[in-house]
Amino acid sequence: MIRASIAAFATLLAFSASAQQADTTEEFRPVLKAQATVHGPTVLVGDLVENAGALAKVAIFRAPDLGFTGTVPAQAVAEAVRNRALADIDTAGLTEVSVTRAARAIHAKDISDAIVRALAVQFNFGNPNDITITFDRDLQTVYVEPNAIGQPRVAHIGLDRGGRFDASLEMPTGNGKHGLLRIAGRAQVTAEVLTIARTLERGAVIKDSDVVLERRPRAEVGREALTDRSQVVGLSLRVPKQAGNMLRAAELARPDTIARNEVVMLIYEVPGVTLSVRGKAMEGGAEGDVISVLNEQSKRTLQGVIAGPGRVVITTQGNRIVANAALPGQN
């Protein structure tokens, strides 16, 4: 009985040791990773394989360019490590591995802003926000080593009379080093002005949606160019305007309160008496404007001030005399 128990216990211990060894073997078995980020020009075995052991620091592939991602077939990884005496790799059902090269991005806007600041200071262009630049070639994000410290710095910039510039920028590349980037393009000083969003006819009353704030070359912007929406909304156009045209103060007026040929009431003011007769506006105008009106009874043309919709006040002494002479019962 005792011998049987000892034999069973021994069998149990052997089974446990075998299971533990199997678990340990499984735990340290090389396994392919689904993705990896590398920090150098080469991809190491350890970047792609868990539990690579002594082969972890061995380079097997060239890394993607800085900031870019590439893929490696799982079979290619298995073959590469097998050739270096690492067999029985578990691909974990993967068909490929995604590899990204770590980098610091210097965005196109950072480069553009550096050039604009240099132009503003070196050529007295004023506020950098008023400088618009275009490049001969599309400006792309520049990727540098992750440990690169600092911002782009304009080492030299030249500008001709036509507005063309040529700039050299020092770019941090990592490990305390810098590279040189050459950029050329065109610069101009601009100003924000109000432009017409859609074609409008003469006399149209401007709404908020009819105007757009745009930047235009300062040389094209005169003193009368308008920049404040409150200066134009609610006013009418003295001239027709095409979409995209700038708005100028001289082209705007208060909207007509009375239209040409409109039937109006003529108000005659004499000491102690106010009289009114029917008339016709010979021209249109806004409240407060002086316009010509026809007294339909006397058939005389007079001058009056628009006092409101359909109302014109005859104010001059001469007009009063004419008006009084034309009133019924005073002929």
Side-chain angles (χ1 to χ4, degrees):
M1 180 71 176
I2 293 175
R3 290 178 179 176
S5 297
I6 293 174
F9 182 68
T11 301
L12 179 61
L13 285 177
F15 178 78
S16 297
S18 176
Q20 184 176 4
Q21 183 178 7
D23 290 343
T24 302
T25 301
E26 188 68 26
E27 181 181 354
F28 290 99
R29 184 182 181 187
V31 180
L32 191 64
K33 299 179 183 179
Q35 56 188 16
T37 299
V38 299
H39 293 78
T42 57
V43 180
L44 309 180
V45 173
D47 292 326
L48 304 182
V49 180
E50 294 281 4
N51 306 321
L55 293 179
K57 300 297 184 181
V58 175
I60 52 174
F61 298 119
R62 186 176 70 86
D65 291 337
L66 285 163
F68 287 85
T69 297
T71 58
V72 182
Q75 187 60 35
V77 178
E79 291 177 1
V81 298
R82 187 179 300 117
N83 293 336
R84 288 164 176 79
L86 183 62
D88 194 27
I89 181 173
D90 182 1
T91 61
L94 299 172
T95 59
E96 63 182 20
V97 180
S98 174
V99 181
T100 301
R101 175 82 177 273
R104 174 195 165 194
I106 299 179
H107 298 287
K109 186 177 185 305
D110 297 327
I111 299 171
S112 176
D113 287 348
I115 294 174
V116 166
R117 289 192 298 269
L119 288 168
V121 172
Q122 188 164 332
F123 299 101
N124 298 317
F125 279 176
N127 191 336
N129 292 333
D130 293 336
I131 302 173
T132 299
I133 59 176
T134 55
F135 299 97
D136 290 349
R137 293 179 296 178
D138 289 341
L139 200 58
Q140 304 292 331
T141 297
V142 176
Y143 293 98
V144 296
E145 293 290 349
N147 62 357
I149 299 174
Q151 297 297 325
R153 187 185 73 84
V154 176
H156 168 78
I157 189 166
L159 184 74
D160 65 21
R161 292 187 177 183
R164 287 196 55 79
F165 69 85
D166 189 294
S168 299
L169 288 85
E170 289 184 353
M171 307 289 290
T173 57
N175 301 317
K177 298 180 179 179
H178 291 81
L180 202 62
L181 179 66
R182 293 286 300 273
I183 299 177
R186 185 175 298 277
Q188 61 181 0
V189 184
T190 63
E192 284 191 331
V193 295
L194 286 173
T195 63
I196 290 293
R198 61 189 181 93
T199 300
L200 295 176
E201 299 298 325
R202 179 184 180 278
V205 177
I206 298 175
K207 299 179 293 187
D208 185 73
S209 59
D210 292 330
V211 291
V212 178
L213 197 60
E214 294 183 355
R215 284 202 168 273
R216 295 293 175 86
R218 187 178 292 174
E220 299 177 7
V221 179
R223 294 183 178 180
E224 286 195 336
L226 302 171
T227 61
D228 188 347
R229 290 175 179 270
S230 64
Q231 295 176 295
V232 303
V233 174
L235 299 182
S236 64
L237 288 171
R238 295 182 183 271
V239 295
K241 298 289 288 184
Q242 298 292 320
N245 287 172
M246 286 185 290
L247 277 172
R248 305 182 187 280
E251 298 169 339
L252 301 175
R254 289 170 296 174
D256 286 352
T257 305
I258 292 176
R260 185 173 181 271
N261 292 327
E262 181 180 340
V263 175
V264 297
M265 188 64 67
L266 305 183
I267 311 298
Y268 294 93
E269 296 179 345
V270 295
V273 180
T274 299
L275 301 174
S276 61
V277 296
R278 180 186 172 94
K280 182 172 73 172
M282 306 303 293
E283 55 189 336
E287 187 169 344
D289 288 348
V290 176
I291 62 171
S292 297
V293 291
L294 175 68
N295 182 325
E296 292 189 340
Q297 291 187 10
S298 67
K299 304 302 180 184
R300 294 179 180 273
T301 299
L302 311 171
Q303 296 290 307
V305 178
I306 297 176
R311 299 172 61 246
V312 179
V313 176
I314 309 302
T315 57
T316 65
Q317 183 64 31
N319 281 339
R320 287 175 182 163
I321 295 173
V322 173
N324 290 338
L327 291 177
Q330 296 190 20
N331 292 330

